[in-house]
Structures are given as structure tokens and as C-alpha cells.
Amino acid sequence: QSVLTQPPSASGTPGQRVTISCSGSSSNIGSNYVYWYQQLPGTAPKLLIYRNNQRPSGVPDRFSGSKSGTSASLAISGLRSEDEADYYCAAWDDSLSGSNWVFGGGTKLTVL
Amino acid sequence: QVQLQESGPGLVKPSETLSLTCTVSGGSISSYYWSWIRQPPGKGLEWIGYIYYSGSTNYNPSLKSRVTISVDTSKNQFSLKLSSVTAADTAVYYCARGNPPYVTHWYFDLWGRGTLVTVSS
């Protein structure tokens, strides 16, 4: 069971806006940045959003991230067929034993 | 540009030690954090641990007793050893870079293509 909670699946039609949620706790999302990774079929994950809402160079502005309290969301507007992929949220988790990375279980996005 | 490439045996017997190496090309291994992350077939991502170029490490508490990560700056490589493996350790293993340098909470900005390691007799 993953520390961060994501819905296992999401779907939308081309042109639609979809959102994927990521829920955590005060030790991870509540006190640290959230990151989003896109994993296209058969490939390695790719950084999509960093520090809650920043896009790396080359990532279309159709992708946006937000955070509120202990939850975060990834929004994809103008959905395209090539957006069909698995999406993972991630964050640092700070505990008495130290800081460790935690991931969400992943959300499989289907473009209908 | 900087690229990461995992290498090592694709098949490991149960109870033996899994050993992988990540070679960094196109840039220096110095100044950054370097991680191992794995993904069992059909499942999500699990962080294994990281090493700073200077040699300091931090491991996932759930794997800590079996994991060793080391770095060889002269070869621009870092390595993973996972002992006493079982079928549950079958996964695609990725190496990744932590950026930016010199901060305590960095993020994975570059990933290798991954290598599948199967644990089976």
C-alpha cells in the first residue's frame, strides 16, 4: 500500500480536462513539495511537474499542478491521445527517523 | 546531455545478491544525489535509496537491512546491492539523478531506461 493515495484510473475524451488527485499527510505533502511523473507505456518515468506547480522545459502548459494542505492535483487540459499514460505523484516524507521519498500508487489515464 | 544507463544480470537466484551499476555519461557524477527506484511488473514505483556523490547514503526503511548503495566517482558510476533476494524483488530497476545539488530536498529529474531483474531459480 502506497503512502500517497491516488485513484487507480481516470479517463477522458480528446479535448477534455481531467484531474488526478494525490492525498497524503502532514509529514509528506503537508510540509513538502509535490512532484508528478508521467510514464508512457514501456518507458521510464519522466518529470512532469516539480515543486507543486512548476513545469520543466518542454512540458506543455496543458499540464498543471496544484497543492492544498495535504492533497495535490494534476490537471491536464485539452486532452490528447498521447497523454495516455500512468501518472505518479511523489513527495519527501519527513519522520523522526529521517527523510525518505514516497510515491503514490499511480493513476492510469485512458483517452477514450 | 546527461544520460544514465543501468547494467547488470537480468536473472538472479533466490537468496543471492542482486548487483546493478548505473553509468552516468555526458556529465559529472559530482555534486548530485543519485538514487535507485524499482517497479515490480504491473505495479507502482518504490524508492530504494540514494547516495550523495561524497558517499553519504539513505535507504528506504523497508529495505534498509538488505541494501547497499556505493559510488565510484573515478568511473562516474554508482551501484546497488540487494541481498537475500526473493521473487518479490523481481522488478524493473531504475537509476535516477537528484536535482538540484546542495539542497536537502531535491527531486528526480533524470532517469535511466531501466533494467528488468528477475529472481528465479
Side-chain angles (χ1 to χ4, degrees):
Chain A
Q1 189 158 347
S2 302
V3 174
L4 305 180
T5 301
Q6 297 180 237
S9 63
S11 63
T13 56
Q16 262 191 334
R17 182 177 187 271
V18 297
T19 60
I20 297 172
S21 62
C22 176
S23 178
S25 67
S26 58
S27 64
N28 41 66
I29 294 178
S31 53
N32 292 298
Y33 291 121
V34 177
Y35 303 85
W36 290 91
Y37 293 88
Q38 177 192 56
Q39 186 175 34
L40 297 169
T43 69
K46 167 193 161 187
L47 180 64
L48 196 63
I49 297 288
Y50 67 100
R51 292 180 179 170
N52 299 337
N53 54 19
Q54 302 299 300
R55 285 186 308 277
S57 174
V59 173
D61 59 7
R62 301 186 296 105
F63 295 90
S64 62
S66 64
K67 181 185 119 170
S68 178
T70 59
S71 295
S73 291
L74 172 70
I76 309 171
S77 60
L79 197 63
R80 305 176 68 162
S81 58
E82 57 260 40
D83 298 332
E84 190 159 286
D86 294 324
Y87 293 85
Y88 293 90
C89 60
W92 282 96
D93 186 279
D94 298 325
S95 67
L96 291 176
S97 61
S99 297
N100 302 294
W101 272 100
V102 291
F103 287 96
T107 298
K108 184 177 183 61
L109 175 63
T110 301
V111 181
L112 302 170
Chain B
Q1 71 277 25
V2 178
Q3 293 185 316
L4 285 66
Q5 179 66 60
E6 305 87 351
S7 60
L11 181 64
V12 181
K13 290 182 168 56
S15 79
E16 295 190 342
T17 296
L18 178 160
S19 296
L20 295 174
T21 296
C22 181
T23 300
V24 180
S25 60
S28 174
I29 202 168
S30 297
S31 305
Y32 292 94
Y33 292 87
W34 304 93
S35 280
W36 288 98
I37 298 152
R38 69 181 183 179
Q39 184 174 35
K43 296 188 178 181
L45 302 168
E46 179 181 34
W47 170 70
I48 299 171
Y50 70 74
I51 189 165
Y52 193 40
Y53 78 100
S54 62
S56 61
T57 56
N58 187 29
Y59 303 134
N60 185 324
S62 68
L63 298 169
K64 189 172 184 175
S65 63
R66 299 193 291 131
V67 173
T68 302
I69 299 177
S70 58
V71 65
D72 187 336
T73 54
S74 67
K75 294 182 179 179
N76 242 27
Q77 295 176 334
F78 63 105
S79 299
L80 168 71
K81 290 190 185 299
L82 181 65
S83 64
S84 305
V85 297
T86 69
D89 295 309
T90 294
V92 174
Y93 285 76
Y94 295 101
C95 58
R97 185 179 76 173
N99 199 26
Y102 309 122
V103 300
T104 55
H105 284 26
W106 36 267
Y107 53 92
F108 310 110
D109 72 330
L110 285 177
W111 297 61
R113 298 178 70 173
T115 186
L116 174 63
V117 178
T118 301
V119 178
S120 175
S121 56

